[in-house]
Every structure is written in structure tokens, then in C-alpha cells.
């Protein structure tokens, strides 16, 4: 059996389904096959066995001669079932006897810790040691297919639950119900109601379909009994096939390391004499909470948010801190970031002195073309092809540093005039 088919088999074992792909690969390389004939003991009561046994083929019976409860049913283990030290079916407390020709894959006991080395995003409790964005995407399992997310203090929220938080958390909930050999390749989402920052968000996953190559999930985000956000996502097992890419990464772009961070940009804006004093005072008066994402604008603007500009924007981004090694997490982080500075670009050609507009996203679509690393620099190349009837439309490509197209993103949002601030009497 080659490693790929062992991985394929292990991905069907429920115990292993929440592990990242990297742990599954380690396990696939460590397991060894053991063969038994019908009636043969696999392990005897009182014997701890060699480690954790995964049943690859055939059936085995678990029975205990010392069990005082004679009515306790003996149970049958089949393909994808497992038993062994530290398991629900501890081999030390029962006989396990082959009923048919039986093949087990055995993970030696000294490697059973691999089952515990779950990345923080898969763990039941978030740790403060991991990156902030990984903490934001951490969900608490409530029931089968139901997860709870919260809005952490001092994370992007814009006075309402940030759209990217809904997308990232809902995708995380969906990903946790799909085996780790399948990666999300597309998602389509609608923002239905404004999310409340102060109460948890319940994510309910519908396992629409599990196929051999693809899986489909629908997720509803619920607050106070109402669906506030809805997402459909499709997952695919890797395939070797043809490869082409038409858009190329814009040339002559500055390296992200040479560009100013958001924090440095803000400090510059506070003192830049080319900017109106009223604008500088406004920037200074706004509470500044650093984002968990490092953003570097390729063409830093010297204008204000009222300066007209073409409907285009390019910036590098990456998650701050190191993310756990799990492609599912990296894709959720990319999805989270994909809504951070996006829709505003469709307002660029309409900006003018005195125009005060509020924007909210209506829907969001994202295709992952290639594997990505969200804690390494990615270029977000945005443009707004059109705006009409109060709706702005934006599209973008994401390239990694090698120029590979990793994702395409589309969104529509609605713009409304903000009410004028109350005029203060000068008397
Ligand atoms: C360029 C470089 C810059 C770099 C420097 C960094 C900049 C950094 C910027 C970051 C910016 C992040 C941007 C995050 C973007 C999200 O995260 S937005 C959050 C995700 N989206 C949502 O939550 C939308 C949820 N959906 C909804 O609320 C509803 O479906 C909709 C869309 C409002 C439609 O509902 P409806 O009842 O049919 O609509 P309508 O009757 O017209 O309005 C209902 C209410 O919504 C309000 N509303 C409608 N449109 C809007 C709007 N656009 N805004 C606010 N309120 C609105 C109305 O005023 C109305 O309020 P009330 O009068 O009832 O008080």
C-alpha cells in the first residue's frame, strides 16, 4: 500500500478527522500492517497491545471473559474502527478476536501522542500563545455540526461583526466537518443581518454531500434565533491535472519589507504637513487598535479619505505571527482577510470633500486556485469594475510572492450616505 492510499484510508477514521494533514501524513508513514486469521487473538485481555489498531479490512469481536455483566453485548469492529491503548475500546480490558481474515494498521504506542498534537485551531480551547487571527477563528464545538464563535475584544469590528470574521469562522466550522484530505476550493456567502458584537455566534453546519472527490457544506450563522449570515462551500481532494494561469503579478512592485506598516503610516499621517490639520486631528482622535494582519500599501496615498482616485488598490498582506501548519487554517485566514479592505475601493472615484458614506458588504465569493500560506506575504490586487444603484462591485486576485495566482475574490456591497453630524453652534 502506498502512502497516498494509507492517507486516504486514515482520513476515513473518525478519530483522525480533526487532525491537520501534516499529522495524518506522519501517522501514515508510521503505521505498519498486521494480519490475522479467523478466530485468532489480535490482543488478549490484560495485554496492552502494540499501540493503536486501525481496522483496514475484515471484522473483529471485542469480548471480555472477566466481565461480570453477562448481558453486556459483545461488539463488532469493522473497517475504519479502532482500538488500543488510551482508546474508547482499551485493548487491556478485553479480548479482541478476528472473526474473518483481518488486516490492521498499527500505530506504535510511543507515537500515540500524535493524536494529541492538534493545532490550536483544532483544540477545544484557544491558547493565547497563538497568533491573534488564529484565536479569532477558534470555535468551540457545541454539538455534532454546531460550533460557537465569539468576537474577541480589540479585533477588527467596525461597530458590527466584521464580515471577514463571519466568512472565516463559518469556513472554519465547515472545514471541521470535512476530512483533511479535502481542501476548500470555493465559497459563496451572503451577509443577511448586522451581527451583534456582544453575543456569541452559533455556526450550524449542514453536511450537504460527501462525495469521493468533492464535499459540499452549508453553514448558517445564528444570533438571537435569526440567521445573520449564510455560506456555501465546496471542498476537493487534490488532483494532478493541467495547469495554466493568465493573469500575471503586476511587475515593478516594491517588496513588502520596503513599505510602511499601517502603524507607521498612521504615525506619518499625524505629522504630514501636506494633509489638512482637521484631518490630522481626526486621525489622532480615533482610537487606534492594531489589526492582527500586517498590511503594506504598494502605492501609499498622500490624500485623505475624501480624495478622488482610480478604482484600484494594491497591497501586500500577511497574518501577524506564525500560524499552525494546516492548509485548512491558512485558507480560513485568507478568507478572513479577503473582506478587510476591499469594498471601499469602489468608492475611490466618487470621493470628494464633504462626502460621508457608510459601506456594508452584501455578498462575497472566493475561489482558492492553489495552496496558500497566509503568514507569508500575499499581494491583493483589487479593482472595482462598476458601481450602480447604490451598489459597488469589487474583484481581486491574490498572488503569492512567486507570482502564483492563489485566489480570486468578488464582492458586492451597498453604500449609503452617513447622516451629517449635528452642527455645533459657534455662538
Ligand atoms: C481605500 C483604503 C483605505 C484604507 C484604510 C482602512 C479603511 C478600513 C475600512 C474598513 C472597512 C471594513 C469594511 C468591513 C465590511 C463589513 O464588515 S460589513 C459587515 C458585513 N455585512 C453586514 O453585516 C450586512 C448585513 N446585512 C444587512 O444589514 C441588511 O441585509 C442590509 C444590507 C442593510 C439590507 O437590509 P434592508 O432592510 O433591505 O435595507 P434598508 O432598509 O435599506 O436598511 C436597513 C438598515 O440598514 C442600514 N444600512 C443600509 N445600508 C447601510 C450601509 N451601507 N451602512 C450602514 N448602514 C446601512 C440602513 O440605514 C437601515 O438602518 P435603520 O434605518 O433601520 O436604522
Amino acid at each position: 500500500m502506498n502512502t497516498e492510499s494509507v492517507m486516504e484510508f486514515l482520513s476515513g477514521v473518525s478519530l483522525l478527522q480533526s487532525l491537520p494533514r501534516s499529522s495524518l501524513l506522519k501517522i501514515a508513514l508510521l503505521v505498519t500492517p498486521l494480519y490475522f486469521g479467523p478466530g485468532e487473538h489480535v490482543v488478549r485481555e490484560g495485554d496492552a497491545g502494540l499501540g493503536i489498531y486501525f481496522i483496514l479490512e475484515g471484522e473483529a469481536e471485542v469480548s471480555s471473559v472477566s466481565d461480570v455483566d453477562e448481558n453486556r453485548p459483545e461488539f463488532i469492529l469493522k473497517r475504519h474502527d479502532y482500538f488500543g491503548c488510551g482508546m474508547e475500546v482499551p485493548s487491556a480490558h478485553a479480548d479482541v478476536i478476528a472473526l474473518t481474515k483481518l488486516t490492521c494498521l498499527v500505530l506504535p504506542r510511543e507515537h500515540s501522542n500524535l493524536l494529541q498534537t492538534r493545532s490550536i485551531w483544532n483544540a477545544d480551547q484557544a491558547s493565547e500563545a497563538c497568533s491573534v487571527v488564529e484565536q479569532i477563528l477558534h470555535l468551540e464545538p457545541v454539538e455534532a455540526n454546531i460550533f460557537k464563535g465569539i468576537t474577541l475584544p480589540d479585533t477588527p469590528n467596525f461597530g458590527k461583526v466584521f464580515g471577514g470574521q463571519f466568512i472565516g469562522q463559518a469556513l472554519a466550522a465547515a472545514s471541521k466537518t470535512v476530512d483533511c484530505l479535502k481542501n476548500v476550493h470555493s465559497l459563496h456567502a451572503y451577509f443577511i443581518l448586522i451581527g451583534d458584537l456582544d453575543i456569541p455566534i452559533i455556526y450550524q453546519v449542514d453536511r450537504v454531500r460527501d462525495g469521493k472527490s468533492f464535499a459540499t457544506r452549508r453553514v448558517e450563522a445564528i444570533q438571537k434565533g435569526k440567521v445573520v449570515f449564510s455560506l456555501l462551500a465546496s471542498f476537493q481532494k487534490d488532483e494532478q491535472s493541467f495547469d495554466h494561469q493568465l493573469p500575471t503579478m503586476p511587475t515593478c512592485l516594491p517588496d513588502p519589507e520596503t513599505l510602511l506598516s499601517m502603524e507607521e503610516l498612521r504615525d506619518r499621517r499625524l505629522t504630514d504637513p501636506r494633509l489638512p490639520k482637521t484631518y490630522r486631528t481626526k486621525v489622532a482622535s480615533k482610537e487606534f487598535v492594531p489589526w492582527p494582519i500586517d498590511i503594506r500599501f504598494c502605492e501609499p496615498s498622500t490624500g485623505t479619505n475624501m480624495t478622488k482616485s482610480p478604482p484600484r488598490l494594491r497591497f501586500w498582506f500577511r497574518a501577524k505571527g506564525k500560524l499552525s501548519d494546516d492548509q485548512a487554517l491558512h485558507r480560513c485566514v485568507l478568507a478572513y482577510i479577503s473582506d478587510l479592505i476591499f469594498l471601499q475601493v469602489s468608492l475611490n472615484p466618487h470621493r470628494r470633500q464633504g462626502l460621508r458614506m457608510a459601506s456594508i458588504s452584501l455578498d462575497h465569493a472566493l475561489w482558492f486556485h492553489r495552496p496558500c500560506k497566509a503568514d507569508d506575504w500575499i499581494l491583493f490586487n483589487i479593482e472595482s469594475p462598476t458601481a450602480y444603484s447604490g451598489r459597488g462591485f469589487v474583484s481581486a486576485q491574490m498572488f503569492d510572492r512567486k507570482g502564483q495566482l492563489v485566489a480570486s475574490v468578488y464582492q458586492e456591497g451597498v453604500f449609503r450616505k452617513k447622516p451629517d453630524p449635528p452642527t455645533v453652534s459657534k455662538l
Side-chain angles (χ1 to χ4, degrees):
M1 236 179 141
N2 61 20
T3 311
E4 208 174 301
S5 40
V6 175
M7 290 268 284
E8 173 101 39
F9 160 73
L10 293 175
S11 71
V13 177
S14 60
L15 175 74
L16 308 178
Q17 277 176 354
S18 62
L19 294 182
R21 192 190 177 101
S22 50
S23 300
L24 202 72
L25 177 62
K26 282 185 200 146
I27 295 171
L29 295 170
L30 287 165
V31 289
T32 47
L34 284 184
Y35 306 95
F36 303 89
E40 207 178 325
H41 269 82
V42 182
V43 284
R44 287 179 190 278
E45 189 166 353
D47 174 4
L50 301 171
I52 299 158
Y53 295 68
F54 302 103
I55 297 192
L56 180 67
E57 262 166 24
E59 291 185 358
E61 184 183 61
V62 181
S63 63
S64 172
V65 281
S66 61
D67 204 325
V68 283
D69 182 1
E70 285 181 3
N71 294 324
R72 206 178 95 153
E74 288 158 349
F75 56 96
I76 309 294
L77 299 171
K78 299 195 179 77
R79 181 174 163 84
H80 289 132
D81 286 338
Y82 53 89
F83 61 92
C85 51
M87 299 286 98
E88 252 174 67
V89 184
S91 47
H93 298 153
D95 283 327
V96 181
I97 302 162
L99 288 177
T100 60
K101 272 174 81 177
L102 184 78
T103 310
C104 297
L105 295 182
V106 183
L107 178 69
R109 189 179 313 126
E110 61 271 26
H111 297 295
S112 57
N113 62 333
L114 274 175
L115 304 181
Q116 272 104 53
T117 54
R118 296 192 292 177
S119 65
I120 194 63
W121 103 293
N122 274 326
D124 290 341
Q125 289 196 329
S127 146
E128 284 173 13
C130 66
S131 73
V132 175
V133 69
E134 200 166 334
Q135 290 176 44
I136 294 170
L137 296 180
H138 172 78
L139 301 177
E140 191 188 312
V142 177
E143 249 291 350
N145 307 326
I146 301 181
F147 302 87
K148 187 168 87 178
I150 55 164
T151 305
L152 290 176
D154 295 338
T155 56
N157 65 56
F158 315 106
K160 48 189 168 280
V161 176
F162 162 47
Q165 179 183 321
F166 276 132
I167 304 168
Q169 290 184 335
L171 182 59
S175 306
K176 284 167 197 287
T177 67
V178 177
D179 76 69
C180 66
L181 292 188
K182 295 194 182 95
N183 282 311
V184 60
H185 67 92
S186 74
L187 64 85
H188 300 260
Y190 277 94
F191 303 95
I192 299 165
L193 288 171
I194 299 280
D196 187 334
L197 297 171
D198 299 320
I199 56 172
I201 308 163
I202 298 298
Y203 292 94
Q204 187 152 357
V205 183
D206 177 5
R207 298 180 185 231
V208 180
R209 180 173 178 267
D210 279 296
K212 240 167 56 189
S213 312
F214 287 85
T216 314
R217 295 291 183 266
R218 183 186 301 117
V219 186
E220 292 192 327
I222 299 165
Q223 284 190 314
K224 296 184 196 152
K226 290 199 172 125
V227 176
V228 292
F229 170 82
S230 167
L231 171 130
L232 255 178
S234 177
F235 296 76
Q236 187 210 8
K237 203 175 277 179
D238 283 350
E239 283 185 31
Q240 296 299 319
S241 188
F242 44 77
D243 181 345
H244 84 265
Q245 172 182 326
L246 205 53
T248 51
M249 183 146 87
T251 48
C252 306
L253 284 180
D255 286 334
E257 294 81 2
T258 63
L259 295 164
L260 295 179
S261 67
M262 293 274 269
E263 289 76 2
E264 289 162 333
L265 262 181
R266 179 182 183 267
D267 290 347
R268 286 270 175 105
R269 297 209 137 210
L270 294 177
T271 52
D272 189 340
R274 290 168 298 176
L275 293 168
K277 191 154 181 276
T278 47
Y279 177 75
R280 285 186 270 146
T281 315
K282 202 172 136 200
V283 173
S285 67
K286 278 197 177 162
E287 193 199 357
F288 181 75
V289 180
W291 284 353
I293 311 299
D294 200 345
I295 286 177
R296 309 279 169 110
F297 293 103
C298 296
E299 296 105 6
S301 147
T302 48
T304 72
N305 55 356
M306 294 182 185
T307 311
K308 202 186 279 282
S309 62
R312 285 199 189 86
L313 185 71
R314 296 191 288 212
F315 60 86
W316 294 99
F317 70 81
R318 67 174 176 190
K320 286 181 183 166
K322 184 108 189 78
L323 297 173
S324 302
D325 174 23
D326 186 348
Q327 186 55 206
L329 169 66
H330 285 259
R331 291 185 189 212
C332 289
V333 172
L334 203 89
Y336 172 87
I337 300 171
S338 69
D339 189 30
L340 204 45
I341 299 175
F342 194 23
L343 183 59
Q344 300 70 34
V345 174
S346 68
L347 192 61
N348 284 0
H350 313 285
R351 294 179 192 271
R352 59 179 160 76
Q353 198 58 36
L355 184 74
R356 302 177 67 251
M357 299 294 279
S359 65
I360 40 176
S361 18
L362 293 168
D363 61 7
H364 197 86
L366 174 51
W367 284 262
F368 296 92
H369 306 300
R370 293 179 175 77
C372 62
K373 259 184 86 38
D375 51 5
D376 201 356
W377 292 111
I378 291 178
L379 180 77
F380 205 172
N381 185 25
I382 309 170
E383 61 179 18
S384 170
T386 187
Y388 186 72
S389 187
R391 288 173 290 116
F393 180 67
V394 273
S395 66
Q397 296 135 357
M398 290 184 181
F399 297 93
D400 66 15
R401 280 196 94 162
K402 289 191 222 131
Q404 297 198 93
L405 184 66
V406 292
S408 299
V409 201
Y410 291 83
Q411 181 176 100
E412 203 170 33
V414 58
F415 287 91
R416 290 279 162 84
K417 262 194 177 158
K418 275 189 195 165
D420 288 330
T423 45
V424 184
S425 166
K426 290 188 180 141
L427 291 176

